[in-house]
Amino acid sequence: MESESVVRSSDPAYISINDVEKTYAADESPIPALKGINLDIAAGEFVSIVGPSGCGKSTLLKCVAGLQGVSSGSISIRQQQVKAPPDNMAIVFQRDVLFDWRTVLDNVLILVEFRGLRRQDYEQRALELLKDYGLDGYAHRFPWELSGGMRQRVAICRALIVDPDLLLMDEPFGALDAMTRDDLNAELERLWYETRKTVIFITHGIDEAVYLADRVVVMARNPGRIAEIVPIDIPRPRPLSIRQTEEFGKYVQHIRHLFASMGLLKAE
Amino acid sequence: MSYWRKTEQARTILVVLAVLVVVWEMSVRIFGIRSFLLPAPTIVISDIIDHPAFFARQSLYTVYVTSVGFFIALVGGVLAAIAIVSSSFIDRTFYTLLVATNSIPKVALAPLFVIWLGTGGAPKIAIAAIIAIFPIVINTTVGLRAIDNDMIDLARSARAPRWDVMMKVRFPNALPSVFAGAKIGISFALIGAIVGEFVAGEQGLGYVILTSQATFNSTRAFAAILVLGVLGTIMFFMIEAVERWMLPWHVSQRSQKGR
C-alpha cells in the first residue's frame, strides 16, 4: 500500500478519485456498490452528482469524506490519501441532523466544539452566518420551533462555521418543498460564487444539478458507475430565471436522455 | 389542544375515583361490614386526620428510603449504561448477566440484605436501589444505542473525541429513554422500600401496614396504603415535571404525536 502514494506530475487535482471500487460483504457473494470510479475535481469547482437511488452516490461521498473506506483504488485530497475525515471539510446531510436539545446557535457551534476550538472565537461568526441566512433573531430558539427550510439553513450555517475548503452535500434539499428548495439553490449558488469553495453536491434533481454545477457527473447503477460527465457552460452568477433558457433546457434534456437510455426515465 | 385533553383525562379519573369511594362507603354502611374487614373510606381518612404527626413521620421515612435508593439507582444505572455502550467487554459480561437476572424477582433478595447490612436504613435503601436500577440501566442502554447514524457521521466528520460523542450526542439523545426508565424506577424503588420495611423494619409505612395487620387494625393499614398511593403518584409526577423542564423538545414532540 505504501507504494501507492500518489505523485502527480503537473496540475494536481484538488480531489483525485482513482479507480475506486466499493463492495459490501454479503452472505453469498459480495455486493458491488461502486466500480471503476475515476474523477478529478479541481479546487473551487462545483460538481453535482446525479443518479438513481442505489447508484452509490452517497457511498462515494462518504468515501471522499473519509467516513467509509474504499475496497480498492484510492481517493486523495491535495495529494494526501484519504484515510480519515480531512481537516477542512464539512458535510451537509439530507436530513438537517440538528440536535433538538441545543439552541440554533449551539447547533451551529457544535462542530467548533467537536474540533476542540474555542467557542468564543466563533460566536460572532455564527451570529453573522445566521443573519446572512435570514435567521436573525432565531439564535436562541430551538430546532423544533423552526420550519424545515429554516432548519436546513441552520445545518448549512453549521457546515460553514469552520470555513471549510471542501463542502460535501448529500441531497441537502431533497426533503424540502419546491419553493424553499429554489431559495436555497439560489443562496448556495451565491455562496459558491462569493467563496469558491470546492463543492460536491449529490441530488436526485436534474434541474438542481445543472443549475448549480460546473460539471454534472451522471451515475448509473448495478454496479454504481459514472455514465457520463457533462460540463455545464452557463455563465455565472446564475439567476434562478436561467432555468427557463433554451441553453439550460438542452443540458437537462441531455441528462434526461441519458437516464432514459438506462431505462430509468421515459423520454418525452 | 393537548392541555384540554389532559385536563379532561384528569377529570375522568377523578370522577371514577369519586364514584368508587361513594360505592365503597355506601356498601360498608348498607351491608354493615365490620371495619376490621373493610373500613369505610371516611373512617380511613379520619384516622389520617386524627394522627397527622404519626403519618407524616412514617411517610417521611419511606420517602427518604425510596428517594435515596432511587438516586443511587439513577446515578449507578446511567453510569453502568455508559460503560456498557462504551465497552463491548462490559456489554458481553455485565449487561448479559443483568438481562439474565432481570427475570429473578429481586424482592426475594430482601432477607439476604438484612443478613448483610443489618436492620437499619441500609438494607432497605439497597433493596430499593437494586430493584430500581434494572429498568434504568436497560432503558438507558437502549437509548444510548438508538442513535441516528448521521449524527455519528457528523461528529466523525469533525473528528470529535469519543468522550464528546458520548456526552454531547449519545447521552442527550438518550435522555428521553433515561426518563422512561426513571419513571419505572421510582415506582420500583417505592416497592423496594416497602418490602424492606416488611422484612425488617421499625418505622415507615411498610412497617405500619405490617404491625396493623398483627393487631387487626385494618383501618390503619388502609390509611397507610392510601398515603402510599398518594406518595407514589406525587413522586412519579415529580419525575415527569423534571422531564418536562429538561426535555421540552421531546415532550413537545410527544404531545404532537398524540394529537
mmCIF file of all heavy atoms in Angstrom, chain A residues 12 16 86 161 165 178 222 228:
data_model
loop_
_atom_site.group_PDB
_atom_site.id
_atom_site.type_symbol
_atom_site.label_atom_id
_atom_site.label_comp_id
_atom_site.label_asym_id
_atom_site.label_seq_id
_atom_site.Cartn_x
_atom_site.Cartn_y
_atom_site.Cartn_z
ATOM 1 N N PRO A 12 -1.888 19.232 -10.218
ATOM 2 C CA PRO A 12 -2.545 18.227 -9.393
ATOM 3 C C PRO A 12 -3.986 18.616 -9.099
ATOM 4 O O PRO A 12 -4.274 19.775 -8.845
ATOM 5 C CB PRO A 12 -1.708 18.222 -8.106
ATOM 6 C CG PRO A 12 -1.064 19.565 -8.054
ATOM 7 C CD PRO A 12 -0.885 20.006 -9.477
ATOM 8 N N SER A 16 -8.745 13.692 -6.084
ATOM 9 C CA SER A 16 -8.443 12.742 -7.132
ATOM 10 C C SER A 16 -8.994 11.371 -6.736
ATOM 11 O O SER A 16 -8.582 10.800 -5.736
ATOM 12 C CB SER A 16 -6.930 12.700 -7.337
ATOM 13 O OG SER A 16 -6.626 11.731 -8.284
ATOM 14 N N PRO A 86 -10.947 14.474 6.373
ATOM 15 C CA PRO A 86 -9.938 15.529 6.252
ATOM 16 C C PRO A 86 -10.316 16.764 7.072
ATOM 17 O O PRO A 86 -11.454 16.942 7.466
ATOM 18 C CB PRO A 86 -9.926 15.840 4.759
ATOM 19 C CG PRO A 86 -11.187 15.305 4.220
ATOM 20 C CD PRO A 86 -11.647 14.213 5.115
ATOM 21 N N ILE A 161 -19.389 27.182 9.496
ATOM 22 C CA ILE A 161 -18.804 27.875 10.650
ATOM 23 C C ILE A 161 -17.288 27.736 10.689
ATOM 24 O O ILE A 161 -16.580 28.663 11.063
ATOM 25 C CB ILE A 161 -19.438 27.387 11.983
ATOM 26 C CG1 ILE A 161 -18.965 28.226 13.180
ATOM 27 C CG2 ILE A 161 -19.149 25.924 12.265
ATOM 28 C CD1 ILE A 161 -19.508 29.599 13.228
ATOM 29 N N ASP A 165 -12.787 24.344 3.144
ATOM 30 C CA ASP A 165 -12.478 24.474 1.713
ATOM 31 C C ASP A 165 -13.379 23.566 0.906
ATOM 32 O O ASP A 165 -13.696 23.841 -0.240
ATOM 33 C CB ASP A 165 -11.035 24.024 1.423
ATOM 34 C CG ASP A 165 -10.033 24.838 2.189
ATOM 35 O OD1 ASP A 165 -10.386 25.969 2.563
ATOM 36 O OD2 ASP A 165 -8.913 24.333 2.414
ATOM 37 N N ALA A 178 -40.751 22.672 -2.999
ATOM 38 C CA ALA A 178 -40.131 23.224 -4.210
ATOM 39 C C ALA A 178 -39.702 24.679 -4.048
ATOM 40 O O ALA A 178 -38.612 25.067 -4.474
ATOM 41 C CB ALA A 178 -41.085 23.074 -5.389
ATOM 42 N N ASN A 222 -25.919 -0.674 -10.559
ATOM 43 C CA ASN A 222 -25.700 -2.117 -10.789
ATOM 44 C C ASN A 222 -24.563 -2.421 -11.745
ATOM 45 O O ASN A 222 -24.797 -2.928 -12.827
ATOM 46 C CB ASN A 222 -26.982 -2.799 -11.283
ATOM 47 C CG ASN A 222 -28.092 -2.731 -10.252
ATOM 48 O OD1 ASN A 222 -27.839 -2.756 -9.058
ATOM 49 N ND2 ASN A 222 -29.305 -2.598 -10.730
ATOM 50 N N GLU A 228 -21.586 9.380 -17.491
ATOM 51 C CA GLU A 228 -21.065 10.481 -18.306
ATOM 52 C C GLU A 228 -20.790 11.683 -17.415
ATOM 53 O O GLU A 228 -21.451 11.866 -16.385
ATOM 54 C CB GLU A 228 -22.081 10.861 -19.391
ATOM 55 C CG GLU A 228 -21.497 11.774 -20.465
ATOM 56 C CD GLU A 228 -22.501 12.072 -21.597
ATOM 57 O OE1 GLU A 228 -23.196 11.147 -22.044
ATOM 58 O OE2 GLU A 228 -22.569 13.248 -21.995
#
